[in-house]
Amino acid sequence: MLTLGVDLAAADKRTAMATVEWLPGRAVVRDLVLDVGDARIVEAGGHADKVALDCPLGWPEHFVALVQAHRLGHVTVADGESAQWRRRLAYRLTDEVVREETGIIPLSVSADRIAHAAFRCAGLLAMLAADGHDVDRGGGGRVVEVYPAAALYRWGLAHRGYKGRGQQVQHADLVTALREAAPWLDLGVFEGLCRRSHDAFDSVIAALNARAAAIGKAVQPSDEQRTVARVEGWIALPTGPLSDLIDGAEG
């Protein structure tokens, strides 16, 4: 099995992509690159069994309805419901599920800067579909949405403070922790890049998360949730430890 993980930024710069090959009892990072364009992602995706995108695949249904209603006239907010109304505009069903499962609140695709990456992602999904990929935003096809912070939390690793100017955790130390937690993972010549770039690191985590989704070791939408998930997107939150990725299913 080959899994592809993409830490998708709004532009090629800061976009990272990792390819992981799954063999009996071990996993090997076969490729890890930075500053990746859409065409290269689509080409690499053609060789992967599962493609994980670290980016929202859609917007909240309530937000889309608001934009449509506001374009045609005015919207109405019931007395006393303003806070809850705004929350439904900001967060998708899958965001709320992740919050309930982990206590982590994903960035809002309708009210935060991650929307810029989501604009790009919408075009990328169209390119993947045109190339023959089964694009189901609910995760049922080849493409799946992932959220590395939530995956790291589920796997017992530091999930906050390793990015940005005020980082409290050196992501190089996080790579060491990952290697200790997953001794079967071979980073090979790409270990140095993982230690230098948190974008590269996140793409590797996305590729590991893709494996969890591919072997049924990630949260899937219920029958009731699936209709919304196929529109808004669905985060494939791992259901168990890192060892599940090797011990859980086919190699």
Side-chain angles (χ1 to χ4, degrees), residues 1-5 18-22 28 31 44 47-52 203-204 206-212 214:
M1 176 184 287
L2 279 179
T3 60
L4 187 73
T19 302
V20 176
E21 182 179 11
W22 298 87
V28 182
D31 196 23
H47 304 287
D49 296 284
K50 201 74 169 178
V51 178
S203 71
V204 171
L208 299 182
N209 201 154
R211 167 73 171 183

PDB file of all heavy atoms in Angstrom, residues 1-5 18-22 28 31 44 47-52 203-204 206-212 214:
ATOM      1  N   MET A   1       0.838  -1.194   0.000  1.00  0.00           N
ATOM      2  CA  MET A   1       0.000   0.000   0.000  1.00  0.00           C
ATOM      3  C   MET A   1       0.872   1.243   0.000  1.00  0.00           C
ATOM      4  O   MET A   1       1.883   1.307   0.685  1.00  0.00           O
ATOM      5  CB  MET A   1      -0.921   0.012   1.233  1.00  0.00           C
ATOM      6  CG  MET A   1      -1.765   1.274   1.359  1.00  0.00           C
ATOM      7  SD  MET A   1      -2.765   1.365   2.867  1.00  0.00           S
ATOM      8  CE  MET A   1      -4.022   0.147   2.480  1.00  0.00           C
ATOM      9  N   LEU A   2       0.464   2.247  -0.768  1.00  0.00           N
ATOM     10  CA  LEU A   2       1.101   3.554  -0.769  1.00  0.00           C
ATOM     11  C   LEU A   2       0.087   4.586  -0.279  1.00  0.00           C
ATOM     12  O   LEU A   2      -1.060   4.611  -0.746  1.00  0.00           O
ATOM     13  CB  LEU A   2       1.559   3.951  -2.174  1.00  0.00           C
ATOM     14  CG  LEU A   2       2.870   3.408  -2.719  1.00  0.00           C
ATOM     15  CD1 LEU A   2       3.086   3.927  -4.145  1.00  0.00           C
ATOM     16  CD2 LEU A   2       4.047   3.804  -1.845  1.00  0.00           C
ATOM     17  N   THR A   3       0.502   5.426   0.681  1.00  0.00           N
ATOM     18  CA  THR A   3      -0.356   6.524   1.112  1.00  0.00           C
ATOM     19  C   THR A   3       0.356   7.837   0.863  1.00  0.00           C
ATOM     20  O   THR A   3       1.585   7.938   0.976  1.00  0.00           O
ATOM     21  CB  THR A   3      -0.741   6.414   2.605  1.00  0.00           C
ATOM     22  OG1 THR A   3       0.442   6.430   3.411  1.00  0.00           O
ATOM     23  CG2 THR A   3      -1.539   5.150   2.857  1.00  0.00           C
ATOM     24  N   LEU A   4      -0.426   8.849   0.518  1.00  0.00           N
ATOM     25  CA  LEU A   4       0.094  10.171   0.220  1.00  0.00           C
ATOM     26  C   LEU A   4      -0.478  11.158   1.220  1.00  0.00           C
ATOM     27  O   LEU A   4      -1.696  11.199   1.429  1.00  0.00           O
ATOM     28  CB  LEU A   4      -0.297  10.589  -1.199  1.00  0.00           C
ATOM     29  CG  LEU A   4       0.302  11.886  -1.728  1.00  0.00           C
ATOM     30  CD1 LEU A   4       1.785  11.694  -2.048  1.00  0.00           C
ATOM     31  CD2 LEU A   4      -0.444  12.346  -2.984  1.00  0.00           C
ATOM     32  N   GLY A   5       0.387  11.942   1.844  1.00  0.00           N
ATOM     33  CA  GLY A   5      -0.057  12.968   2.776  1.00  0.00           C
ATOM     34  C   GLY A   5       0.334  14.335   2.274  1.00  0.00           C
ATOM     35  O   GLY A   5       1.484  14.551   1.887  1.00  0.00           O
ATOM     36  N   ALA A  18       4.203  13.983   1.340  1.00  0.00           N
ATOM     37  CA  ALA A  18       4.958  12.797   1.741  1.00  0.00           C
ATOM     38  C   ALA A  18       4.302  11.540   1.176  1.00  0.00           C
ATOM     39  O   ALA A  18       3.073  11.416   1.188  1.00  0.00           O
ATOM     40  CB  ALA A  18       5.014  12.692   3.264  1.00  0.00           C
ATOM     41  N   THR A  19       5.124  10.626   0.691  1.00  0.00           N
ATOM     42  CA  THR A  19       4.657   9.321   0.223  1.00  0.00           C
ATOM     43  C   THR A  19       5.226   8.249   1.139  1.00  0.00           C
ATOM     44  O   THR A  19       6.442   8.209   1.369  1.00  0.00           O
ATOM     45  CB  THR A  19       5.123   9.056  -1.217  1.00  0.00           C
ATOM     46  OG1 THR A  19       4.632  10.086  -2.079  1.00  0.00           O
ATOM     47  CG2 THR A  19       4.602   7.706  -1.707  1.00  0.00           C
ATOM     48  N   VAL A  20       4.351   7.414   1.666  1.00  0.00           N
ATOM     49  CA  VAL A  20       4.768   6.340   2.574  1.00  0.00           C
ATOM     50  C   VAL A  20       4.353   4.998   1.983  1.00  0.00           C
ATOM     51  O   VAL A  20       3.194   4.814   1.578  1.00  0.00           O
ATOM     52  CB  VAL A  20       4.144   6.516   3.977  1.00  0.00           C
ATOM     53  CG1 VAL A  20       4.504   5.333   4.875  1.00  0.00           C
ATOM     54  CG2 VAL A  20       4.626   7.827   4.610  1.00  0.00           C
ATOM     55  N   GLU A  21       5.306   4.068   1.933  1.00  0.00           N
ATOM     56  CA  GLU A  21       5.020   2.709   1.480  1.00  0.00           C
ATOM     57  C   GLU A  21       4.870   1.805   2.700  1.00  0.00           C
ATOM     58  O   GLU A  21       5.705   1.829   3.613  1.00  0.00           O
ATOM     59  CB  GLU A  21       6.137   2.182   0.584  1.00  0.00           C
ATOM     60  CG  GLU A  21       5.846   0.768   0.053  1.00  0.00           C
ATOM     61  CD  GLU A  21       6.927   0.238  -0.869  1.00  0.00           C
ATOM     62  OE1 GLU A  21       8.008   0.858  -0.955  1.00  0.00           O
ATOM     63  OE2 GLU A  21       6.675  -0.805  -1.513  1.00  0.00           O
ATOM     64  N   TRP A  22       3.817   0.985   2.681  1.00  0.00           N
ATOM     65  CA  TRP A  22       3.512   0.093   3.800  1.00  0.00           C
ATOM     66  C   TRP A  22       3.874  -1.332   3.417  1.00  0.00           C
ATOM     67  O   TRP A  22       3.319  -1.898   2.475  1.00  0.00           O
ATOM     68  CB  TRP A  22       2.042   0.219   4.185  1.00  0.00           C
ATOM     69  CG  TRP A  22       1.730   1.613   4.634  1.00  0.00           C
ATOM     70  CD1 TRP A  22       1.374   2.675   3.850  1.00  0.00           C
ATOM     71  CD2 TRP A  22       1.799   2.110   5.971  1.00  0.00           C
ATOM     72  NE1 TRP A  22       1.207   3.800   4.614  1.00  0.00           N
ATOM     73  CE2 TRP A  22       1.459   3.493   5.917  1.00  0.00           C
ATOM     74  CE3 TRP A  22       2.095   1.523   7.217  1.00  0.00           C
ATOM     75  CZ2 TRP A  22       1.418   4.283   7.061  1.00  0.00           C
ATOM     76  CZ3 TRP A  22       2.061   2.314   8.353  1.00  0.00           C
ATOM     77  CH2 TRP A  22       1.729   3.683   8.264  1.00  0.00           C
ATOM     78  N   VAL A  28       7.864   2.869   5.156  1.00  0.00           N
ATOM     79  CA  VAL A  28       9.039   3.594   4.673  1.00  0.00           C
ATOM     80  C   VAL A  28       8.598   4.878   3.963  1.00  0.00           C
ATOM     81  O   VAL A  28       7.737   4.830   3.076  1.00  0.00           O
ATOM     82  CB  VAL A  28       9.868   2.728   3.696  1.00  0.00           C
ATOM     83  CG1 VAL A  28      11.116   3.490   3.244  1.00  0.00           C
ATOM     84  CG2 VAL A  28      10.239   1.395   4.334  1.00  0.00           C
ATOM     85  N   ASP A  31       9.188   9.410  -0.325  1.00  0.00           N
ATOM     86  CA  ASP A  31       9.410  10.732  -0.904  1.00  0.00           C
ATOM     87  C   ASP A  31       8.867  11.775   0.057  1.00  0.00           C
ATOM     88  O   ASP A  31       7.857  11.534   0.749  1.00  0.00           O
ATOM     89  CB  ASP A  31       8.723  10.849  -2.269  1.00  0.00           C
ATOM     90  CG  ASP A  31       9.227  12.036  -3.080  1.00  0.00           C
ATOM     91  OD1 ASP A  31      10.352  12.491  -2.807  1.00  0.00           O
ATOM     92  OD2 ASP A  31       8.501  12.485  -3.983  1.00  0.00           O
ATOM     93  N   ALA A  44       1.128  12.473  -8.211  1.00  0.00           N
ATOM     94  CA  ALA A  44       1.505  11.558  -7.135  1.00  0.00           C
ATOM     95  C   ALA A  44       0.291  10.793  -6.620  1.00  0.00           C
ATOM     96  O   ALA A  44       0.386   9.610  -6.268  1.00  0.00           O
ATOM     97  CB  ALA A  44       2.166  12.332  -5.997  1.00  0.00           C
ATOM     98  N   HIS A  47      -0.675   7.356  -7.988  1.00  0.00           N
ATOM     99  CA  HIS A  47       0.066   6.154  -7.595  1.00  0.00           C
ATOM    100  C   HIS A  47      -0.271   5.700  -6.181  1.00  0.00           C
ATOM    101  O   HIS A  47       0.255   4.683  -5.719  1.00  0.00           O
ATOM    102  CB  HIS A  47       1.574   6.420  -7.695  1.00  0.00           C
ATOM    103  CG  HIS A  47       2.016   6.888  -9.050  1.00  0.00           C
ATOM    104  ND1 HIS A  47       2.072   6.045 -10.147  1.00  0.00           N
ATOM    105  CD2 HIS A  47       2.398   8.114  -9.491  1.00  0.00           C
ATOM    106  CE1 HIS A  47       2.490   6.729 -11.199  1.00  0.00           C
ATOM    107  NE2 HIS A  47       2.679   7.983 -10.835  1.00  0.00           N
ATOM    108  N   ALA A  48      -1.101   6.470  -5.481  1.00  0.00           N
ATOM    109  CA  ALA A  48      -1.394   6.190  -4.073  1.00  0.00           C
ATOM    110  C   ALA A  48      -2.728   5.470  -3.905  1.00  0.00           C
ATOM    111  O   ALA A  48      -3.666   5.686  -4.677  1.00  0.00           O
ATOM    112  CB  ALA A  48      -1.404   7.487  -3.270  1.00  0.00           C
ATOM    113  N   ASP A  49      -2.796   4.640  -2.873  1.00  0.00           N
ATOM    114  CA  ASP A  49      -4.055   3.967  -2.544  1.00  0.00           C
ATOM    115  C   ASP A  49      -4.987   4.888  -1.761  1.00  0.00           C
ATOM    116  O   ASP A  49      -6.202   4.758  -1.836  1.00  0.00           O
ATOM    117  CB  ASP A  49      -3.772   2.710  -1.720  1.00  0.00           C
ATOM    118  CG  ASP A  49      -2.982   1.683  -2.508  1.00  0.00           C
ATOM    119  OD1 ASP A  49      -3.570   1.013  -3.367  1.00  0.00           O
ATOM    120  OD2 ASP A  49      -1.754   1.564  -2.273  1.00  0.00           O
ATOM    121  N   LYS A  50      -4.399   5.809  -1.005  1.00  0.00           N
ATOM    122  CA  LYS A  50      -5.189   6.773  -0.233  1.00  0.00           C
ATOM    123  C   LYS A  50      -4.438   8.099  -0.198  1.00  0.00           C
ATOM    124  O   LYS A  50      -3.225   8.130   0.040  1.00  0.00           O
ATOM    125  CB  LYS A  50      -5.416   6.267   1.199  1.00  0.00           C
ATOM    126  CG  LYS A  50      -6.598   6.906   1.907  1.00  0.00           C
ATOM    127  CD  LYS A  50      -7.931   6.375   1.376  1.00  0.00           C
ATOM    128  CE  LYS A  50      -9.098   6.812   2.268  1.00  0.00           C
ATOM    129  NZ  LYS A  50     -10.388   6.334   1.714  1.00  0.00           N
ATOM    130  N   VAL A  51      -5.164   9.189  -0.444  1.00  0.00           N
ATOM    131  CA  VAL A  51      -4.589  10.535  -0.466  1.00  0.00           C
ATOM    132  C   VAL A  51      -5.210  11.338   0.672  1.00  0.00           C
ATOM    133  O   VAL A  51      -6.425  11.536   0.701  1.00  0.00           O
ATOM    134  CB  VAL A  51      -4.860  11.242  -1.811  1.00  0.00           C
ATOM    135  CG1 VAL A  51      -4.306  12.657  -1.790  1.00  0.00           C
ATOM    136  CG2 VAL A  51      -4.286  10.445  -2.970  1.00  0.00           C
ATOM    137  N   ALA A  52      -4.375  11.804   1.598  1.00  0.00           N
ATOM    138  CA  ALA A  52      -4.859  12.565   2.751  1.00  0.00           C
ATOM    139  C   ALA A  52      -4.493  14.030   2.579  1.00  0.00           C
ATOM    140  O   ALA A  52      -3.318  14.365   2.393  1.00  0.00           O
ATOM    141  CB  ALA A  52      -4.255  12.025   4.039  1.00  0.00           C
ATOM    142  N   SER A 203       3.048  16.619   6.785  1.00  0.00           N
ATOM    143  CA  SER A 203       2.685  15.809   5.620  1.00  0.00           C
ATOM    144  C   SER A 203       2.932  14.322   5.900  1.00  0.00           C
ATOM    145  O   SER A 203       2.175  13.467   5.428  1.00  0.00           O
ATOM    146  CB  SER A 203       3.439  16.271   4.373  1.00  0.00           C
ATOM    147  OG  SER A 203       4.810  15.945   4.421  1.00  0.00           O
ATOM    148  N   VAL A 204       3.978  14.006   6.668  1.00  0.00           N
ATOM    149  CA  VAL A 204       4.214  12.610   7.059  1.00  0.00           C
ATOM    150  C   VAL A 204       3.086  12.128   7.975  1.00  0.00           C
ATOM    151  O   VAL A 204       2.569  11.014   7.807  1.00  0.00           O
ATOM    152  CB  VAL A 204       5.581  12.459   7.746  1.00  0.00           C
ATOM    153  CG1 VAL A 204       5.735  11.059   8.349  1.00  0.00           C
ATOM    154  CG2 VAL A 204       6.708  12.720   6.762  1.00  0.00           C
ATOM    155  N   ALA A 206       0.090  13.229   7.986  1.00  0.00           N
ATOM    156  CA  ALA A 206      -1.079  13.073   7.118  1.00  0.00           C
ATOM    157  C   ALA A 206      -1.034  11.735   6.388  1.00  0.00           C
ATOM    158  O   ALA A 206      -2.058  11.054   6.245  1.00  0.00           O
ATOM    159  CB  ALA A 206      -1.153  14.223   6.116  1.00  0.00           C
ATOM    160  N   ALA A 207       0.157  11.334   5.909  1.00  0.00           N
ATOM    161  CA  ALA A 207       0.293  10.050   5.211  1.00  0.00           C
ATOM    162  C   ALA A 207       0.035   8.880   6.160  1.00  0.00           C
ATOM    163  O   ALA A 207      -0.545   7.862   5.757  1.00  0.00           O
ATOM    164  CB  ALA A 207       1.685   9.938   4.594  1.00  0.00           C
ATOM    165  N   LEU A 208       0.456   9.006   7.424  1.00  0.00           N
ATOM    166  CA  LEU A 208       0.156   7.967   8.417  1.00  0.00           C
ATOM    167  C   LEU A 208      -1.346   7.915   8.686  1.00  0.00           C
ATOM    168  O   LEU A 208      -1.943   6.839   8.806  1.00  0.00           O
ATOM    169  CB  LEU A 208       0.920   8.234   9.716  1.00  0.00           C
ATOM    170  CG  LEU A 208       2.451   8.253   9.646  1.00  0.00           C
ATOM    171  CD1 LEU A 208       3.041   8.482  11.036  1.00  0.00           C
ATOM    172  CD2 LEU A 208       3.001   6.966   9.044  1.00  0.00           C
ATOM    173  N   ASN A 209      -1.960   9.100   8.782  1.00  0.00           N
ATOM    174  CA  ASN A 209      -3.404   9.173   8.998  1.00  0.00           C
ATOM    175  C   ASN A 209      -4.170   8.580   7.824  1.00  0.00           C
ATOM    176  O   ASN A 209      -5.231   7.949   7.991  1.00  0.00           O
ATOM    177  CB  ASN A 209      -3.801  10.636   9.217  1.00  0.00           C
ATOM    178  CG  ASN A 209      -5.122  10.811   9.933  1.00  0.00           C
ATOM    179  OD1 ASN A 209      -5.343  11.828  10.584  1.00  0.00           O
ATOM    180  ND2 ASN A 209      -6.026   9.855   9.829  1.00  0.00           N
ATOM    181  N   ALA A 210      -3.618   8.739   6.620  1.00  0.00           N
ATOM    182  CA  ALA A 210      -4.248   8.140   5.439  1.00  0.00           C
ATOM    183  C   ALA A 210      -4.311   6.621   5.586  1.00  0.00           C
ATOM    184  O   ALA A 210      -5.289   5.987   5.173  1.00  0.00           O
ATOM    185  CB  ALA A 210      -3.474   8.522   4.181  1.00  0.00           C
ATOM    186  N   ARG A 211      -3.272   6.032   6.137  1.00  0.00           N
ATOM    187  CA  ARG A 211      -3.247   4.584   6.379  1.00  0.00           C
ATOM    188  C   ARG A 211      -4.377   4.191   7.337  1.00  0.00           C
ATOM    189  O   ARG A 211      -5.072   3.189   7.104  1.00  0.00           O
ATOM    190  CB  ARG A 211      -1.890   4.201   6.957  1.00  0.00           C
ATOM    191  CG  ARG A 211      -1.794   2.808   7.556  1.00  0.00           C
ATOM    192  CD  ARG A 211      -1.783   1.718   6.522  1.00  0.00           C
ATOM    193  NE  ARG A 211      -1.468   0.419   7.146  1.00  0.00           N
ATOM    194  CZ  ARG A 211      -1.332  -0.714   6.490  1.00  0.00           C
ATOM    195  NH1 ARG A 211      -1.488  -0.739   5.180  1.00  0.00           N
ATOM    196  NH2 ARG A 211      -1.039  -1.840   7.118  1.00  0.00           N
ATOM    197  N   ALA A 212      -4.546   4.976   8.415  1.00  0.00           N
ATOM    198  CA  ALA A 212      -5.624   4.683   9.366  1.00  0.00           C
ATOM    199  C   ALA A 212      -6.980   4.680   8.667  1.00  0.00           C
ATOM    200  O   ALA A 212      -7.814   3.799   8.901  1.00  0.00           O
ATOM    201  CB  ALA A 212      -5.607   5.701  10.506  1.00  0.00           C
ATOM    202  N   ALA A 214      -7.499   4.158   5.461  1.00  0.00           N
ATOM    203  CA  ALA A 214      -7.551   3.096   4.448  1.00  0.00           C
ATOM    204  C   ALA A 214      -7.862   1.732   5.051  1.00  0.00           C
ATOM    205  O   ALA A 214      -8.476   0.887   4.388  1.00  0.00           O
ATOM    206  CB  ALA A 214      -6.221   3.041   3.696  1.00  0.00           C
TER     207      ALA A 214
END
